């Protein structure tokens, strides 16, 4: 589940980044790198786990799938939080700088 969720987030962020000039200015590429990196990490994890377990890898309990789903959603949310912090620091539209200079 973690692999599916992060790959899904990576594909969505990549499509948004590619289709919109505004998205490129808002540093959506950072999200792409984070999600593709997480997806690659979990792909490698799945390959090694499959090599260890064999066909048993595909038989999982519901509670394991729920834990994996929570982990995948947590990774996506953490990526969004990091992206927001980067936006606040970089301030691509100079909104924070303008607001601080007015006061």
């Amino acid at each position: 589940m973690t692999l599916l969720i992060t790959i899904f987030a990576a594909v969505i962020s990549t499509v948004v980044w590619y289709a919109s000039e505004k998205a490129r200015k808002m540093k959506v590429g950072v999200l792409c790198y984070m999600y593709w990196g997480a997806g690659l990490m979990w792909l490698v994890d799945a390959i090694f786990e499959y090599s260890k377990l064999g066909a048993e890898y595909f038989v999982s309990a519901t509670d394991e799938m729920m834990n994996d789903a929570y982990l995948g959603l947590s990774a996506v949310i953490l990526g969004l939080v990091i992206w927001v912090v980067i936006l606040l620091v970089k301030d691509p539209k100079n909104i924070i700088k303008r607001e601080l200079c007015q006061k």
Side-chain angles (χ1 to χ4, degrees):
M1 287 299 282
T2 52
L3 176 62
L4 292 175
I5 290 171
T6 53
I7 294 296
F8 189 65
V11 168
I12 289 173
S13 63
T14 302
V15 168
V16 168
W17 172 82
Y18 186 77
S20 172
E21 181 68 31
K22 286 183 181 181
R24 286 188 283 279
K25 289 180 183 176
M26 295 300 289
K27 311 284 186 204
V28 174
V30 172
L31 280 176
C32 296
Y33 291 132
M34 284 191 285
Y35 293 152
W36 282 115
L40 181 62
M41 176 186 68
W42 276 308
L43 176 65
V44 170
D45 180 57
I47 290 169
F48 277 95
E49 187 134 354
Y50 178 75
S51 69
K52 186 171 99 176
L53 296 176
E56 290 180 25
Y57 175 75
F58 296 106
V59 178
S60 61
T62 305
D63 58 338
E64 289 178 16
M65 288 179 59
M66 290 301 292
N67 286 338
D68 285 348
Y70 289 138
L71 181 61
L73 291 174
S74 297
V76 169
I77 290 169
L78 181 61
L80 287 171
V81 168
I82 292 170
W83 176 64
V84 167
V85 169
I86 289 171
L87 278 181
L88 291 174
V89 170
K90 298 281 184 175
D91 195 20
K93 291 188 174 186
N94 293 322
I95 294 171
I96 296 172
K97 182 179 177 182
R98 198 175 15 192
E99 289 295 320
L100 290 175
C101 289
Q102 285 179 356
K103 293 182 179 182

